[in-house]
Amino acid sequence: MLEVRDLRKTYGSVAAVDGVSLDAGRGEILGLLGPNGAGKTTTVSIIAGLVRADSGQVRIDGKPLAGDTDPIKRQLGLVPQDIALYDELSAHDNLTLFGALYGISGAPLRLAVAAALELVGLADRARDKVSAYSGGMKRRLNMAAALLHDPQVLLLDEPTVGVDPQSRNAIFENLVTLRERGKTLVYTTHYMEEAERLCDRLVVIDHGKVIAAGTLQDLYRMLPASNLLAIELEHPDRPLELDELAALPEVRSVARSNGVLKIGVSDLARETSAVLAWLGAHGHSCRHLESERANLETVFLTLTGRSLRDS
């Protein structure tokens, strides 16, 4: 339903988007992940027709998006990162205004407003001013505004920022409902647990480039090990041949920090015993052992690094 091919956008000498390509099908949630400044919001803005790419193409249902006024844009709905509502209007009046801007009027507009409010669980608060809404309610109304014209593709740029757990779960339920209706959703987030829970496939962007794409299991396979042993040694200052330990067939990676060994293995049940046996045979006893399984955050940090990104 959505095809993005080789998008490029530069600002002076900075390549904000550098050859991004991705696809999303009907009834699919595609997660778009990346550190701050990676190019996610610029990519979403280009797809939405708000920013003109230097080169590349966006296609909706096989038709190229030809600019901000292209009628194909009616197939798109955008939930922006910032709340885009009028605080002094009621939820109902906000949606009536946005629906009118889409060219909807009369009975179809009334039905669209009622359906959007019902979907996001705000029908009983429709006449309240938005200024009286909580942050989570505003986020849900922000999403309702993007659904009035019944778009096929919904772009969501960090739609759960700053919301309470109840509102976050309500938004998740809304997104699952939309997926079940056959909508195509592109979802950007910094919350790895959201992406794990919701997304059918994931695209990781860094420095304006796609550095990984696929299902969650596809991304896990990019790691050197799916499990990590953290072993605190009884005598941490005793010499240890890390290269020899790393050469064991059961070991995928080895690091040592502050007397704790971090050893990557694929199968905890089979390979932990081999690692401990090797340590014992070389005169090292274990004071404490913990294990953790790789998750999407592990993959993300492995791909993009652990340095802080402040812009």
Side-chain angles (χ1 to χ4, degrees):
M1 186 65 197
L2 172 67
E3 301 171 76
V4 174
R5 291 289 173 267
D6 202 26
L7 290 186
R8 298 179 187 276
K9 180 65 179 179
T10 59
Y11 295 96
S13 61
V14 177
V17 177
D18 191 5
V20 167
S21 296
L22 55 86
D23 300 281
R26 292 180 186 272
E28 181 177 39
I29 301 178
L30 180 71
L32 192 58
L33 309 178
N36 289 333
K40 303 185 303 299
T41 295
T42 304
T43 298
V44 169
S45 298
I46 292 171
I47 295 171
L50 301 176
V51 171
R52 184 181 294 276
D54 298 333
S55 61
Q57 190 174 72
V58 176
R59 300 177 72 88
I60 309 295
D61 199 18
K63 303 177 182 66
L65 180 63
D68 190 45
T69 59
D70 192 330
I72 196 67
K73 277 193 66 177
R74 292 186 66 87
Q75 293 293 320
L76 290 168
L78 173 64
V79 183
Q81 190 175 124
D82 297 321
I83 299 293
L85 300 168
Y86 293 96
D87 274 356
E88 294 309 308
L89 295 180
S90 69
H92 178 275
D93 289 347
N94 264 278
L95 296 189
T96 299
L97 171 61
F98 290 126
L101 294 174
Y102 283 119
I104 312 170
S105 61
L109 177 56
R110 290 192 293 275
L111 289 172
V113 169
L117 288 168
E118 186 67 33
L119 175 69
V120 300
L122 293 172
D124 60 336
R125 301 288 301 274
R127 299 295 175 180
D128 293 359
K129 284 188 177 181
V130 170
S131 58
Y133 275 18
S134 68
M137 293 167 71
K138 289 180 181 180
R139 286 284 173 191
R140 284 148 54 200
L141 186 61
N142 215 37
M143 184 164 67
L147 296 170
L148 291 168
H149 59 304
D150 193 27
Q152 180 57 43
V153 178
L154 188 63
L155 309 172
L156 302 109
D157 194 4
E158 299 190 42
T160 63
V161 170
V163 308
D164 57 89
Q166 290 83 357
S167 289
R168 180 174 286 120
N169 281 326
I171 290 171
F172 292 165
E173 290 171 4
N174 297 156
L175 299 181
V176 170
T177 297
L178 292 168
R179 176 172 60 188
E180 290 171 350
R181 293 178 183 175
K183 303 297 186 184
T184 301
L185 290 85
V186 178
Y187 189 93
T188 81
T189 182
H190 284 297
Y191 300 123
M192 297 298 110
E193 71 278 6
E194 289 187 4
E196 286 182 304
R197 173 175 172 177
L198 288 171
C199 298
D200 301 295
R201 289 188 300 115
L202 299 154
V203 174
V204 183
I205 294 179
D206 199 13
H207 301 295
K209 296 177 181 290
V210 173
I211 59 173
T215 65
L216 189 56
Q217 293 305 316
D218 290 336
L219 267 58
Y220 282 160
R221 283 192 281 270
M222 300 181 72
L223 292 172
S226 55
N227 297 281
L228 193 67
L229 297 174
I231 302 174
E232 185 179 347
L233 298 174
E234 194 71 46
H235 302 287
D237 296 329
R238 185 173 294 173
L240 177 64
E241 295 295 332
L242 292 182
D243 290 343
E244 188 176 338
L245 176 58
L248 289 177
E250 295 85 2
V251 172
R252 303 292 178 269
S253 62
V254 174
R256 188 176 186 178
S257 177
N258 298 323
V260 177
L261 280 175
K262 297 290 186 74
I263 302 174
V265 298
S266 295
D267 190 311
L268 281 174
R270 250 194 352 254
E271 296 165 355
T272 302
S273 57
V275 170
L276 294 177
W278 186 92
L279 289 171
H282 288 75
H284 296 279
S285 55
C286 174
R287 176 185 296 173
H288 183 72
L289 183 147
E290 290 183 351
S291 67
E292 62 182 57
R293 184 161 182 80
N295 55 23
L296 184 56
E297 183 172 335
T298 311
V299 177
F300 183 82
L301 291 173
T302 299
L303 293 171
T304 64
R306 295 174 181 269
S307 299
L308 290 174
R309 307 286 184 91
D310 294 323
S311 62

